[in-house]
Amino acid sequence: MKPSIPKGTRDFLPSQVAKRNFIFETIKSVFSKYGYVPIETPSMENLTTLTGKYGDEGDKLLFKVLNNGDYLSKADQQALEDKNSSALTKSIAKKGMRYDLTVPFARFVTMHRNDLAFPFKRYQIQPVWRGDRPQKGRYQEFYQCDADVVGSDSLMYEAELVKIYDDVFSLLNIDVNILVNNRKVLFGIAEAVGVADKFIDMTVAIDKLDKIGEEGVVKELGQRDINNDQSQRILELLKIDNLTALSEAFQDCPEGLKGIEELRKFHSYLDQTETYNNITFDISLARGLSYYTGCIFEVKASNVEMGSIGGGGRYANLTESFGLKDVSGVGISFGAARIFDVMEELQLFPKKITQSIKALFIAFDEETHNYAFKQLSILRSKGIAADLYPSPSKLKKQMKYANDINVPYVILIGTDEMSSGALTLKEMETGEQRTLSLDQIAQLLV
RNA sequence: GUGGUUGUAGCUCAGCUGGUUAGAGCGCUGGAUUGUGGUUCCAGAGGUCGCCGGUUCGAAACCGGUCUUCCACCCCA
């Protein structure tokens, strides 16, 4: 049979894993610096944990895990007969693959609340699964790197998380624009024009402003039962790009004013420090996931066409559905696969990260091969990553291998080198050769 | 989930309105070069033309189905 992998999934070659780890290590180092600690949760969660958290669209994209055993005999016979898939699903699948890291984290916090010190700051780097139709930069299995803090509603954390974005992307050399908005501001708009009951519909439409333009948004709003007059007023409010003017428009919208107040406070923290990247207030930023309640973030790469490479926000009530009230959380997520694609496109990966060893020994015959193995062991015992070509093959073949694995140095050992102890060290990039003792080589490579 | 698109050597792709033994570049293997890779030259290996079925004397090409890729929508990292 012909081997294949499921749609939207990928294998990773050694060089790709090396690059991905470079991204992960960079992100981890920043998370740690800010005091976040790592946790892990299972790939599968109970469907009761996951359903209803991501909106109707999200529920459709959840991967369900078929029950083990004789699941058909326990299935909902009526649903089976009616060919009602969604009703049947409940009776034959009680587990699902995690869709993001935030909801499982809320479940985790609720279950382990007595073991955690609040505010609790955690990071988590694990794959998630979505039954979405694949496209470029969009997979059914992909890694997310999340940092969240729960147990405090201080806007200091919003500022801190934006600083983390700023640090990570400047370390990775990606120029980004960090967009910020507040859900309460959006609610204020809905309130101000009298469509508070259609809040979600409104956010979905205005989120597309930069994509489909004003006309498109009006059309979209119309399809969602928001009349032309209301739509025009929404567009006018969206043109306001400073908080002072916005607060005047929100005279009678306490929720909207609160959103403005939060943004001000957030900025007052951020203003105490310098940032490398642009941080922009974007009133049309909405974000799809319905659990956000306060500040929301999205990160876009400046120099390349790609969907967002990070997103996050404040969720005041996420643990409530698990029975834990008044625990506010805020978090951010990095889309590792897309960051990978952006860095590949802009050629931002350092060449060094695909180097696995510092030096490769090359021997000319059986006797020197044995001797080289001894020298190799000595070098390794000094903590230097090194290897020996497994047989004294033709030099050309061994050198080609050295070239293929991108090793910076080769150490040539023939009869002369073995008898004198003076080894030939060749630097691959320049081709320059030197005669040195193993000790000298070790010192050079440390 | 809706509409479209793609699939030919390890990779990137040619292959005309259906007609002999399906090609190129790169890569790979060997040689030119018995102590030197990344350059050059020569030779060679490698293909159930995504898969299943249909039309036809004859299918890589036409038709249907299916899987996959990418694109738009939906949504999102």
Side-chain angles (χ1 to χ4, degrees):
Chain A
M1 83 166 211
K2 212 168 191 173
S4 65
I5 54 174
K7 137 170 92 176
T9 66
R10 303 168 298 160
D11 282 328
F12 290 90
L13 295 168
S15 67
Q16 296 170 307
V17 172
K19 289 172 179 174
R20 200 181 63 188
N21 282 345
F22 174 73
I23 296 173
F24 287 165
E25 291 307 318
T26 303
I27 294 174
K28 275 188 204 173
S29 71
V30 175
F31 284 167
S32 300
K33 194 170 72 185
Y34 281 78
Y36 291 73
V37 292
I39 67 157
E40 290 188 20
T41 62
S43 309
M44 290 181 285
E45 291 278 350
N46 290 324
L47 273 176
T48 50
T49 301
L50 300 176
T51 42
K53 307 296 193 303
Y54 308 106
D56 290 344
E57 285 301 322
D59 284 355
K60 284 183 205 156
L61 302 180
L62 278 174
F63 275 110
K64 288 94 184 170
V65 177
L66 193 58
N67 289 345
N68 288 64
D70 186 11
Y71 55 86
L72 260 191
S73 70
K74 295 171 189 161
D76 181 335
Q77 297 302 323
Q78 191 59 46
L80 193 58
E81 213 165 289
D82 299 347
K83 301 202 170 166
N84 182 340
S85 301
S86 58
L88 180 66
T89 301
K90 287 186 201 105
S91 64
I92 61 172
K94 59 183 176 203
K95 298 183 292 286
M97 307 300 286
R98 71 169 164 252
Y99 180 91
D100 71 357
L101 301 177
T102 308
V103 168
F105 177 52
R107 191 268 308 152
F108 175 98
V109 168
T110 309
M111 280 180 69
H112 302 289
R113 65 185 107 171
N114 295 324
D115 305 317
L116 304 173
F118 293 97
F120 177 58
K121 304 167 81 170
R122 82 89 171 80
Y123 76 83
Q124 192 170 353
I125 299 179
Q126 289 189 280
V128 302
W129 294 268
R130 294 182 190 178
D132 209 351
R133 195 172 279 205
Q135 277 181 43
K136 199 183 191 72
R138 185 181 217 184
Y139 309 94
Q140 295 205 338
E141 177 184 63
F142 59 97
Y143 273 86
Q144 280 195 336
C145 315
D146 275 29
D148 289 77
V149 45
V150 293
S152 164
D153 54 13
S154 170
L155 286 144
M156 172 191 111
Y157 288 121
E158 270 84 340
E160 173 170 298
L161 291 163
V162 166
K163 287 287 286 178
I164 289 178
Y165 270 144
D166 191 50
D167 277 10
V168 167
F169 287 114
S170 66
L171 279 172
L172 293 175
N173 256 313
I174 304 174
D175 289 328
V176 295
N177 199 3
I178 302 169
L179 307 175
V180 180
N181 194 13
N182 192 298
R183 281 247 165 183
K184 296 188 177 86
V185 167
L186 292 169
F187 191 79
I189 292 174
E191 231 178 359
V193 302
V195 294
D197 56 322
K198 304 191 189 79
F199 174 58
I200 298 287
D201 282 330
M202 185 198 78
T203 59
V204 168
I206 67 179
D207 198 31
K208 299 177 193 164
L209 181 62
D210 59 342
K211 202 169 177 181
I212 60 178
E214 294 194 359
E215 271 180 50
V217 171
V218 172
K219 199 172 158 194
E220 187 94 11
L221 289 168
Q223 285 165 5
R224 295 163 192 270
D225 286 332
I226 294 172
N227 68 40
N228 206 47
D229 184 47
Q230 290 168 324
S231 297
Q232 292 304 331
R233 286 171 62 201
I234 289 172
L235 285 177
E236 272 170 41
L237 288 169
L238 290 180
K239 289 197 182 93
I240 300 174
D241 59 356
N242 72 86
L243 298 179
T244 314
L246 198 59
S247 61
E248 283 167 28
F250 282 170
Q251 292 293 333
D252 304 317
C253 315
E255 191 76 357
L257 288 171
K258 193 154 182 244
I260 290 170
E261 187 49 41
E262 287 182 11
L263 283 168
R264 283 206 170 115
K265 185 100 188 177
F266 159 75
H267 273 113
S268 77
Y269 281 115
L270 214 54
D271 287 347
Q272 304 302 313
T273 69
E274 279 187 29
T275 55
Y276 306 96
N277 292 289
N278 290 328
I279 293 155
T280 316
F281 170 58
D282 179 357
I283 195 169
S284 69
L285 174 67
R287 297 198 49 77
L289 296 180
S290 43
Y291 52 66
Y292 292 118
T293 54
C295 284
I296 45 181
F297 317 110
E298 195 156 297
V299 184
K300 290 232 158 98
S302 304
N303 303 320
V304 54
E305 256 334 290
M306 181 71 68
S308 63
I309 55 178
R314 164 81 58 182
Y315 42 90
N317 310 313
L318 199 55
T319 57
E320 204 172 294
S321 60
F322 302 114
L324 182 60
K325 282 190 177 174
D326 301 322
V327 175
S328 185
V330 58
I332 54 171
S333 182
F334 290 83
R338 286 189 179 176
I339 293 171
F340 185 105
D341 290 346
V342 168
M343 291 184 69
E344 199 75 280
E345 197 167 329
L346 299 176
Q347 300 186 335
L348 294 175
F349 287 110
K351 197 189 172 196
K352 254 172 75 177
I353 62 179
T354 53
Q355 291 176 349
S356 57
I357 53 171
K358 286 251 176 71
L360 178 74
F361 283 88
I362 288 179
F364 293 87
D365 52 39
E366 286 299 335
E367 204 186 347
T368 53
H369 193 255
N370 245 315
Y371 174 78
F373 190 75
K374 181 183 172 187
Q375 307 308 308
L376 168 68
S377 306
I378 295 170
L379 217 53
R380 282 174 171 169
S381 72
K382 290 174 189 282
I384 296 164
D387 211 343
L388 166 63
Y389 196 83
S391 61
S393 313
K394 280 188 195 157
L395 267 223
K396 182 182 166 112
K397 190 166 179 156
Q398 303 197 58
M399 287 300 292
K400 184 170 157 34
Y401 179 73
N403 204 53
D404 288 346
I405 63 171
N406 194 25
V407 66
Y409 294 96
V410 297
I411 300 164
L412 295 150
I413 301 184
T415 317
D416 292 350
E417 283 86 350
M418 187 172 75
S419 55
S420 67
L423 311 182
T424 301
L425 179 76
K426 174 168 178 143
E427 189 179 343
M428 290 300 281
E429 187 131 351
T430 60
E432 180 201 340
Q433 292 192 183
R434 277 185 280 177
T435 308
L436 298 168
S437 71
L438 190 70
D439 273 350
Q440 290 173 310
I441 291 174
Q443 274 178 18
L444 198 85
L445 298 185
V446 160

